[in-house]
Amino acid sequence: MNGASPPQFEFLCALSVDVGEIISMGSAPLGERRVVPIVGGTFEGPQVRGEVLSGGADWQVVRRDGVLDLDARYALREARGGLIEVRSQGYRHGPPEVLSALARGEVVDPARYFFRTVMRFESGAEELSWLNRTIAVATAERHARRVELQAWRLL
């Protein structure tokens, strides 16, 4: 052990991301390719708050082992006007019956499935420049037309 302390986290923000219909691109060598449009939403935390802009998307692969491999890119407009690019990659997986219920848009207890992402940010706004050095880990819940995330900044 090199004496480094274990990672610590600080709450960054809660995001409520509105999503459109899943667009299946069909089966590919690694699984079913899909894209989910990001159409709006909000975010709020101790240092930032604002809106999720439409125009982003979550590019997904439903892997043959049942894991949903997520790669989302979208933009936020912070209340002071600054823009933030978000890159979020992660996994969602769980028992087949739970994933089927989520696919049907049913309400499912988030404790019944794993949904986590790693988030990175970029902003040209001076007051948000600290985000350019931030990595966050988020827990997430899938709803019929919305994804709820709780993002925690890695210190």
Side-chain angles (χ1 to χ4, degrees):
M1 186 119 166
N2 65 7
S5 60
Q8 295 181 4
F9 294 93
E10 171 184 88
F11 181 69
L12 177 63
C13 66
L15 299 99
S16 181
V17 180
D18 300 328
V19 297
E21 292 282 337
I22 294 170
I23 302 164
S24 177
M25 300 172 72
S27 184
L30 299 177
E32 178 194 3
R33 293 241 172 224
R34 308 187 319 186
V35 63
V36 179
I38 293 172
V39 299
T42 59
F43 67 99
E44 185 167 354
Q47 295 178 294
V48 291
R49 66 180 174 83
E51 66 177 315
V52 177
L53 301 178
S54 65
D58 186 2
W59 295 85
Q60 305 176 343
V61 177
V62 182
R63 297 184 342 196
R64 299 198 191 289
D65 64 359
V67 173
L68 183 61
D69 191 332
L70 309 152
D71 185 5
R73 284 192 177 215
Y74 53 100
L76 308 175
R77 178 179 289 120
E78 210 271 337
R80 294 167 285 186
L83 297 175
I84 305 162
E85 176 192 7
V86 178
R87 286 171 283 161
S88 179
Q89 297 178 316
Y91 293 136
R92 188 176 78 210
H93 57 79
E97 66 277 6
V98 170
L99 298 179
S100 293
L102 286 173
R104 292 189 300 271
E106 296 176 14
V107 175
V108 177
D109 179 353
R112 297 186 61 207
Y113 59 98
F114 180 94
F115 191 177
R116 306 286 187 272
T117 70
V118 174
M119 304 172 81
R120 293 175 56 191
F121 310 90
E122 187 171 346
S123 179
E126 182 62 35
E127 69 274 12
L128 299 170
S129 64
W130 58 275
L131 284 169
N132 298 328
R133 301 178 300 276
T134 296
I135 294 174
V137 175
T139 59
E141 298 177 28
R142 180 66 156 101
H143 300 276
R145 286 279 173 256
R146 188 178 72 256
V147 177
E148 300 283 344
L149 300 109
Q150 300 288 318
W152 300 85
R153 179 179 180 193
L154 180 59
L155 300 176

